[in-house]
Coordinates of all heavy atoms in Angstrom, one line a residue:
E16 N 84.2 90.3 103.3 CA 85.3 89.6 104.0 C 86.0 88.6 103.1 O 86.3 87.5 103.4 CB 84.8 88.8 105.2 CG 84.1 89.7 106.3 CD 85.1 90.4 107.2 OE1 86.3 90.3 106.9 OE2 84.6 91.1 108.1
A17 N 86.3 89.1 101.8 CA 86.8 88.2 100.8 C 88.2 87.7 101.0 O 88.6 86.7 100.4 CB 86.7 89.0 99.4
T18 N 88.9 88.3 101.9 CA 90.3 87.8 102.1 C 90.5 87.4 103.6 O 91.6 87.4 104.1 CB 91.3 88.9 101.7 OG1 91.1 90.1 102.4 CG2 91.3 89.2 100.2
A19 N 89.4 87.1 104.2 CA 89.5 86.8 105.7 C 90.2 85.5 106.0 O 90.7 85.3 107.0 CB 88.1 86.8 106.3
S20 N 90.1 84.6 105.0 CA 90.7 83.2 105.2 C 92.0 83.0 104.6 O 92.5 81.9 104.5 CB 89.7 82.2 104.7 OG 88.5 82.3 105.3
V21 N 92.7 84.1 104.1 CA 94.0 83.9 103.5 C 95.1 84.5 104.4 O 94.8 85.4 105.2 CB 94.1 84.5 102.1 CG1 93.0 83.9 101.2 CG2 93.8 86.0 102.1
D22 N 96.3 84.1 104.2 CA 97.4 84.6 105.0 C 97.8 86.0 104.5 O 97.3 86.5 103.4 CB 98.6 83.7 104.9 CG 99.1 83.5 103.4 OD1 99.7 84.5 102.9 OD2 98.8 82.4 102.9
T23 N 98.6 86.7 105.3 CA 98.9 88.1 105.0 C 99.6 88.3 103.7 O 99.3 89.3 102.9 CB 99.8 88.7 106.1 OG1 99.2 88.4 107.4 CG2 100.0 90.1 106.0
A24 N 100.5 87.4 103.3 CA 101.2 87.6 102.1 C 100.3 87.4 100.9 O 100.3 88.2 99.9 CB 102.3 86.5 102.0
T25 N 99.4 86.4 100.9 CA 98.4 86.2 99.9 C 97.5 87.3 99.8 O 97.1 87.8 98.7 CB 97.7 84.8 100.1 OG1 98.6 83.8 100.1 CG2 96.7 84.6 98.9
E26 N 97.0 87.8 101.0 CA 96.1 89.0 101.0 C 96.7 90.2 100.3 O 96.1 90.8 99.5 CB 95.8 89.3 102.4 CG 94.8 90.5 102.5 CD 94.5 90.9 104.0 OE1 95.5 90.8 104.8 OE2 93.4 91.4 104.3
S27 N 98.0 90.4 100.5 CA 98.7 91.6 99.9 C 98.7 91.4 98.4 O 98.4 92.3 97.6 CB 100.1 91.7 100.4 OG 100.8 92.8 99.8
A28 N 99.0 90.1 97.9 CA 99.0 89.9 96.5 C 97.7 90.0 95.8 O 97.5 90.6 94.7 CB 99.6 88.5 96.2
I29 N 96.6 89.5 96.5 CA 95.2 89.7 96.0 C 94.8 91.1 95.9 O 94.2 91.6 94.9 CB 94.3 88.9 96.9 CG1 94.5 87.4 96.8 CG2 92.8 89.2 96.6 CD1 93.6 86.5 97.7
H30 N 95.2 91.9 96.9 CA 94.9 93.3 96.9 C 95.5 94.1 95.7 O 94.9 94.9 95.1 CB 95.2 94.0 98.2 CG 94.3 93.6 99.3 ND1 94.7 93.7 100.7 CD2 93.1 93.2 99.3 CE1 93.7 93.3 101.4 NE2 92.7 93.0 100.6
D31 N 96.8 93.7 95.5 CA 97.5 94.3 94.3 C 96.8 94.0 93.0 O 96.6 94.8 92.1 CB 98.9 93.8 94.3 CG 99.8 94.3 95.4 OD1 99.4 95.4 96.0 OD2 100.8 93.7 95.7
A32 N 96.3 92.7 92.9 CA 95.6 92.3 91.7 C 94.2 92.9 91.6 O 93.7 93.4 90.6 CB 95.4 90.8 91.6
L33 N 93.5 93.0 92.8 CA 92.2 93.6 92.8 C 92.3 95.1 92.5 O 91.3 95.7 92.0 CB 91.6 93.5 94.2 CG 91.0 92.1 94.5 CD1 90.5 92.0 96.0 CD2 89.8 91.8 93.6
H34 N 93.4 95.8 92.8 CA 93.5 97.2 92.5 C 93.2 97.4 91.0 O 92.5 98.4 90.6 CB 94.9 97.7 92.9 CG 95.0 99.2 92.6 ND1 94.3 100.1 93.3 CD2 95.9 99.9 91.8 CE1 94.6 101.3 92.9 NE2 95.6 101.2 92.0
A35 N 93.7 96.5 90.2 CA 93.5 96.7 88.7 C 92.1 96.3 88.4 O 91.4 96.9 87.5 CB 94.5 95.8 88.0
V36 N 91.6 95.2 89.0 CA 90.2 94.7 88.8 C 89.2 95.7 89.2 O 88.2 95.9 88.5 CB 90.0 93.4 89.5 CG1 88.5 93.0 89.4 CG2 90.9 92.3 89.0
M37 N 89.4 96.5 90.3 CA 88.4 97.4 90.8 C 88.3 98.7 90.0 O 87.4 99.4 90.1 CB 88.8 97.7 92.3 CG 88.6 96.6 93.2 SD 89.4 96.8 94.8 CE 88.8 98.4 95.3
K38 N 89.3 98.9 89.1 CA 89.3 100.2 88.3 C 88.0 100.2 87.5 O 87.8 99.3 86.7 CB 90.5 100.3 87.5 CG 91.8 100.7 88.3 CD 93.0 100.9 87.4 CE 94.2 101.3 88.2 NZ 95.4 101.5 87.3
G39 N 87.3 101.3 87.5 CA 86.1 101.4 86.7 C 84.9 100.7 87.3 O 83.8 100.8 86.7
R40 N 85.0 100.0 88.4 CA 83.9 99.3 89.0 C 83.5 99.9 90.3 O 84.4 100.3 91.1 CB 84.2 97.8 89.3 CG 84.7 97.1 88.1 CD 85.0 95.6 88.5 NE 85.9 95.0 87.6 CZ 85.6 94.4 86.4 NH1 84.3 94.4 86.1 NH2 86.4 93.9 85.6
T41 N 82.2 100.0 90.6 CA 81.8 100.4 92.0 C 82.0 99.2 92.9 O 81.5 98.1 92.6 CB 80.3 100.8 91.9 OG1 80.1 101.8 91.0 CG2 79.9 101.2 93.3
T42 N 82.8 99.4 93.9 CA 83.2 98.3 94.8 C 82.8 98.5 96.2 O 83.1 99.6 96.7 CB 84.7 98.0 94.7 OG1 85.1 97.8 93.3 CG2 85.1 96.7 95.5
F43 N 82.2 97.5 96.8 CA 81.9 97.6 98.3 C 82.7 96.6 98.9 O 82.7 95.4 98.6 CB 80.4 97.3 98.5 CG 79.4 98.3 98.1 CD1 79.0 98.4 96.7 CD2 78.9 99.3 99.0 CE1 78.2 99.4 96.3 CE2 78.1 100.3 98.6 CZ 77.7 100.3 97.2
I44 N 83.5 97.0 99.9 CA 84.4 96.1 100.6 C 84.0 96.0 102.1 O 84.1 97.0 102.9 CB 85.9 96.6 100.6 CG1 86.3 96.9 99.1 CG2 86.8 95.6 101.2 CD1 87.6 97.6 99.0
V45 N 83.4 94.9 102.4 CA 83.0 94.7 103.8 C 84.1 93.9 104.5 O 84.5 92.9 104.1 CB 81.7 93.9 103.9 CG1 81.3 93.6 105.4 CG2 80.6 94.6 103.1
A46 N 84.6 94.5 105.6 CA 85.8 93.9 106.2 C 85.9 94.3 107.7 O 85.3 95.3 108.1 CB 87.1 94.3 105.5
Q47 N 86.7 93.5 108.4 CA 87.1 93.8 109.8 C 88.6 94.1 109.8 O 89.0 94.9 110.7 CB 86.7 92.7 110.7 CG 85.2 92.5 111.0 CD 84.7 93.6 111.9 OE1 85.5 94.5 112.4 NE2 83.4 93.6 112.1
R48 N 89.3 93.5 108.9 CA 90.8 93.8 108.9 C 91.1 95.0 108.1 O 90.7 95.2 106.9 CB 91.5 92.6 108.3 CG 91.6 91.4 109.2 CD 91.8 90.1 108.6 NE 92.9 90.0 107.6 CZ 93.4 88.8 107.1 NH1 92.8 87.7 107.5 NH2 94.3 88.8 106.2
L49 N 91.7 96.0 108.7 CA 92.0 97.3 108.1 C 92.9 97.1 106.9 O 92.8 97.9 106.0 CB 92.6 98.3 109.1 CG 91.6 98.6 110.2 CD1 92.3 99.6 111.2 CD2 90.3 99.2 109.7
S50 N 93.6 96.0 106.8 CA 94.5 95.8 105.7 C 93.7 95.6 104.4 O 94.2 95.7 103.3 CB 95.4 94.6 106.0 OG 94.7 93.5 106.3
S51 N 92.4 95.2 104.6 CA 91.6 94.9 103.5 C 91.0 96.1 102.8 O 90.4 96.0 101.7 CB 90.4 93.9 103.9 OG 90.9 92.7 104.4
I52 N 91.1 97.2 103.5 CA 90.4 98.4 103.0 C 91.4 99.6 102.6 O 91.0 100.7 102.5 CB 89.4 99.0 104.0 CG1 90.1 99.4 105.3 CG2 88.3 97.9 104.3 CD1 89.1 100.1 106.3
Q53 N 92.6 99.2 102.5 CA 93.6 100.2 102.2 C 93.4 101.0 100.9 O 93.7 102.2 100.8 CB 95.0 99.6 102.2 CG 95.5 99.1 103.6 CD 96.9 98.4 103.5 OE1 97.4 98.2 102.4 NE2 97.4 98.1 104.6
R54 N 92.8 100.3 99.9 CA 92.6 100.9 98.6 C 91.2 101.5 98.5 O 90.8 101.9 97.4 CB 92.9 99.9 97.5 CG 94.3 99.4 97.6 CD 94.6 98.5 96.4 NE 95.9 97.9 96.5 CZ 97.1 98.4 96.1 NH1 97.0 99.7 95.7 NH2 98.2 97.8 96.3
A55 N 90.4 101.6 99.6 CA 89.1 102.2 99.5 C 89.2 103.7 99.3 O 90.0 104.3 100.0 CB 88.3 101.8 100.7
D56 N 88.3 104.2 98.5 CA 88.2 105.7 98.3 C 87.6 106.3 99.5 O 87.9 107.5 99.9 CB 87.5 106.1 97.1 CG 88.2 105.5 95.8 OD1 89.4 105.6 95.7 OD2 87.4 104.9 95.0
R57 N 86.6 105.6 100.1 CA 85.9 106.1 101.3 C 85.5 105.0 102.2 O 85.4 103.8 101.8 CB 84.6 106.8 100.7 CG 83.7 107.4 101.8 CD 82.7 108.4 101.2 NE 82.1 108.0 100.0 CZ 80.8 108.0 99.8 NH1 80.0 108.2 100.8 NH2 80.3 107.6 98.7
I58 N 85.4 105.3 103.5 CA 85.1 104.3 104.5 C 83.8 104.8 105.2 O 83.7 106.0 105.6 CB 86.2 104.2 105.5 CG1 87.5 103.7 104.8 CG2 85.8 103.2 106.6 CD1 88.8 103.9 105.7
I59 N 82.9 103.9 105.3 CA 81.7 104.2 106.2 C 81.7 103.3 107.3 O 82.0 102.1 107.2 CB 80.4 104.2 105.4 CG1 80.1 102.7 104.9 CG2 80.4 105.1 104.2 CD1 78.7 102.6 104.4

């Protein structure tokens, strides 16, 4: 829930930055907001 406490605009900017950060890393995204998992390769 790493972006649960930020506004929508900031969340979008963080996700854009994280997209580059996540490259080459195994990433687990625990979230309730579907906007937080848009860049996930797989959802469980």
Side-chain angles (χ1 to χ4, degrees):
E16 300 283 2
T18 56
S20 299
V21 300
D22 56 76
T23 305
T25 303
E26 181 185 31
S27 178
I29 290 175
H30 286 158
D31 289 339
L33 280 176
H34 182 61
V36 173
M37 289 163 54
K38 284 183 178 179
R40 306 179 201 277
T41 302
T42 307
F43 290 82
I44 307 170
V45 180
Q47 285 289 357
R48 282 159 51 169
L49 296 181
S50 56
S51 301
I52 63 172
Q53 291 177 355
R54 300 185 185 279
D56 299 314
R57 181 163 40 125
I58 301 168
I59 67 169

